[in-house]
Amino acid sequence: MSSGDNLTPEQRFVFDYVDRNARAIALTGDNIFYFGELGMQEFETAELMTGLLEKGGFKVERGISGFPTGFCATYGSGHPVVAIHTEYDSCPDNSQVSGVAEPKFIVEGAPGHCEGHNVNAAVLVATALAAKQAMDKFGLKGTLKVFGGPAEEQLVSRPYFVRDGWFDDVDLAFHNHIGGEFSATYGLLQSALVSATFTFHGETAHSGVAPWKGRDALDGVVLMDMGMAQYREHMRPEMRAHRVITNGGDQPNVIPRTAAVWWFFRDQTAEGATKLFEQAKKIAQGAALMSNTEVTVDVLSAVWPLRCNQTISELLQRNVEAVGMPEWSADEEALARALQTKANVKVDGLKREIPPLSVLKTPRTSANDAGDISWKVPMAKFYYPSNVPNISFHHWAGGVTLAHSIAHKGAVAGSKAFAAAVVECFGNPAVLAEAKRTFKAELGGVEYKSMLPAEQKPPVALNRAIMEKFRPEMRKHYLKERPEFS
């Protein structure tokens, strides 16, 4: 970690604030880890986060854009308007005991954090509170907006926020995310994606007595799947299409009247993802014709690729380097290596060095629903070291460190760099001017337009049944101690 040499007064102030509140940061992430709430159902999580922000002096608007667990917390007034945002949802069937380098359920079959969005939330809250304190201390003018984005794993909320005008007055934005290293990157980082359900409608019949009287909706789902499989030969290598059948009928002796499949379509560009979706709709119509059914399509979300602005990424990199890597203990290193061994990945332990700022010209095939923001205003995303390198997310191994000292130390480091970068945006007008200049050049004349249908509403019932099933047992593992920032 940084020794404090060559720090500005603002950096030193926020670093001291974060260090003083390290216990509160850890408790914030750990509480959310045990909440383990799936997207659109993050009620305990959102209540904890907004309560901490409100107590810290922010004005909180809850339920924005029709998301019961979404929020915007605001402090200050006027320009510049700096937005910080992140996600806090978990994944299904990934309940994992923290600190144990082998698969071990907290509650068998239950949802759980297996990527680190619980730590994202802690870093966001700590950054907001530290930056607010610095704004007061140094008399910095402007507005800090803190956005909570539900259901990132389903890539839902932030395209709605942008479509509905929540970023119309924002000058620049930041996004924090957990990783195995401490780094910033600029350029095209992640791909575009369209998320949609295809529901086939037919007619029931007795499968054994008179199947000819039925129109099998599941046949429509299966035929669409076959059509998409044939089309894969003609997809470009960077394209992706994957699905889950969300409704396959009720029992074999009744021909299903309704069946549904949920598809994700990915490409490096918004145009490419849209074209793939349009082809899928044609295939679905063909499947409906062949199965003598009808099909309806519901777009749950549609996100642009995520791009990182060079100026803001350079600002983040400077602050990441000012903070430095955490000092890992022998026990932490041993856990990391044991986990890498068990997960059958490269065994090289925890990172000790900060990589140089890198540029990506070809986006990764992953997606994040913050992509729309990054085409609306200059934005950058950085990674802080609260997970083990080489470990895949959405897998039990991704949850092992998330309520452990590795996550806690990484969150402190991330909060320091994040808060210092945010504060500099209020105190240094040249940052905003340069970010706007580079942002215009990076867009290259591309005009952002939301891919969401104008009338589309958030899927508020998403994951409700799963959480209702598991929450009573999960609640038994909630922490009794809650965070207090000072």
Side-chain angles (χ1 to χ4, degrees):
M1 300 291 285
S2 171
S3 64
D5 296 338
N6 303 317
L7 297 179
T8 67
E10 292 83 0
Q11 285 175 316
R12 188 171 291 107
F13 178 85
V14 297
F15 289 6
D16 289 345
Y17 177 89
V18 171
D19 280 334
R20 187 170 71 249
N21 286 283
R23 174 67 177 165
I25 297 170
L27 279 171
T28 302
D30 290 1
N31 271 274
I32 295 170
F33 176 80
Y34 287 103
F35 293 157
E37 294 173 300
L38 293 170
M40 301 303 293
Q41 306 303 317
E42 312 102 327
F43 293 101
E44 303 270 12
T45 300
E47 181 181 0
L48 176 63
M49 294 176 71
T50 56
L52 291 169
L53 290 166
E54 232 165 20
K55 188 173 181 180
F58 284 80
K59 177 184 176 183
V60 178
E61 295 179 74
R62 296 173 173 85
I64 65 173
S65 286
F67 286 84
T69 56
F71 63 86
C72 176
T74 306
Y75 182 76
S77 61
H79 286 269
V81 179
V82 177
I84 63 176
H85 54 92
T86 202
E87 54 279 310
Y88 33 80
D89 56 332
S90 72
C91 286
D93 197 21
N94 268 281
S95 176
Q96 170 63 34
V97 172
S98 186
V100 178
E102 62 182 13
K104 187 177 182 181
F105 294 112
I106 301 171
V107 175
E108 185 170 358
H113 284 281
C114 57
E115 179 166 336
H117 291 179
N118 62 305
V119 195
N120 286 0
V123 171
L124 183 77
V125 170
T127 296
L129 296 175
K132 183 264 183 189
Q133 292 283 337
M135 291 171 72
D136 291 344
K137 169 72 174 178
F138 297 100
L140 301 174
K141 304 302 181 184
T143 305
L144 177 59
K145 286 190 170 185
V146 185
F147 286 95
E152 188 279 331
E153 295 294 359
Q154 291 80 42
L155 298 159
V156 176
S157 60
R158 279 166 284 195
Y160 288 82
F161 296 172
V162 175
R163 184 198 66 180
D164 296 346
W166 284 95
F167 282 80
D168 285 356
D169 65 344
V170 170
D171 292 303
L172 51 81
F174 294 85
H175 177 211
N176 65 294
H177 200 283
I178 193 169
E181 62 179 24
F182 206 6
S183 66
T185 301
Y186 69 93
L188 287 169
L189 186 63
Q190 292 174 287
S191 293
L193 183 146
V194 176
S195 166
T197 58
F198 295 75
T199 304
F200 290 81
H201 308 273
E203 188 174 0
T204 62
H206 193 298
S207 303
V209 175
W212 53 86
K213 292 184 177 180
R215 294 185 295 121
D216 196 329
L218 182 58
D219 283 350
V221 168
V222 172
L223 287 165
M224 181 186 178
D225 201 70
M226 295 171 63
M228 288 298 299
Q230 292 301 113
Y231 183 67
R232 287 182 193 278
E233 179 184 1
H234 310 287
M235 288 167 50
R236 294 193 308 274
E238 63 271 15
M239 286 180 163
R240 299 288 187 275
H242 29 266
R243 80 289 179 261
V244 292
I245 295 175
T246 55
N247 177 11
D250 298 306
Q251 55 192 49
N253 65 328
V254 179
I255 286 176
R257 179 177 60 86
T258 305
V261 58
W262 182 7
W263 281 91
F264 277 8
F265 307 101
R266 304 178 192 258
D267 189 60
Q268 293 180 352
T269 68
E271 180 184 17
T274 300
K275 285 183 177 179
L276 184 55
F277 172 51
E278 292 299 325
Q279 179 64 30
K281 287 197 289 186
K282 293 178 182 178
I283 291 171
Q285 288 292 344
L289 285 172
M290 286 188 287
S291 57
N292 197 28
T293 60
E294 295 81 40
V295 63
T296 55
V297 183
D298 184 29
V299 177
L300 300 181
S301 188
V303 304
W304 278 60
L306 191 148
R307 67 176 315 119
C308 293
N309 172 255
Q310 180 176 349
T311 303
I312 306 176
S313 296
E314 290 171 345
L315 170 63
L316 283 165
Q317 182 73 16
R318 291 197 301 274
N319 283 284
V320 164
E321 291 173 356
V323 173
M325 284 294 293
E327 295 181 3
W328 307 116
S329 70
D331 287 345
E332 289 161 348
E333 179 71 12
L335 176 63
R337 289 179 177 272
L339 181 60
Q340 290 168 336
T341 300
K342 183 68 175 179
N344 197 28
V345 299
K346 182 180 179 182
V347 180
D348 55 4
L350 296 166
K351 297 291 186 185
R352 307 282 173 167
E353 303 293 333
I354 291 171
L357 180 68
S358 61
V359 56
L360 282 175
K361 296 181 180 179
T362 301
R364 302 163 185 165
T365 52
S366 64
N368 186 287
D369 71 336
D372 285 57
I373 298 171
S374 71
W375 293 82
K376 178 77 172 178
V377 299
M379 192 198 92
K381 176 179 182 178
F382 80 104
Y383 294 88
Y384 58 90
S386 284
N387 217 319
V388 174
N390 313 325
I391 293 298
S392 296
F393 295 151
H394 302 190
H395 179 264
W396 68 265
V400 168
T401 68
L402 300 183
H404 183 271
S405 60
I406 292 174
H408 302 159
K409 288 182 178 180
V412 165
S415 299
K416 288 180 177 180
F418 198 4
V422 169
V423 169
E424 187 171 338
C425 293
F426 290 111
N428 184 1
V431 171
L432 175 58
E434 181 64 9
K436 288 185 174 181
R437 185 191 70 80
T438 53
F439 180 62
K440 183 177 180 180
E442 289 162 354
L443 292 186
V446 174
E447 183 176 352
Y448 167 79
K449 182 180 180 182
S450 176
M451 294 195 292
L452 275 178
E455 72 283 356
Q456 186 68 33
K457 302 295 184 185
V460 294
L462 189 66
N463 294 316
R464 182 182 293 163
I466 300 175
M467 286 307 303
E468 287 177 349
K469 175 181 177 181
F470 287 106
R471 195 187 293 274
E473 192 64 27
M474 293 168 66
R475 186 173 281 117
K476 296 176 183 178
H477 300 273
Y478 287 3
L479 298 184
K480 292 183 172 60
E481 185 180 2
R482 295 299 171 92
E484 293 285 344
F485 286 82
S486 60

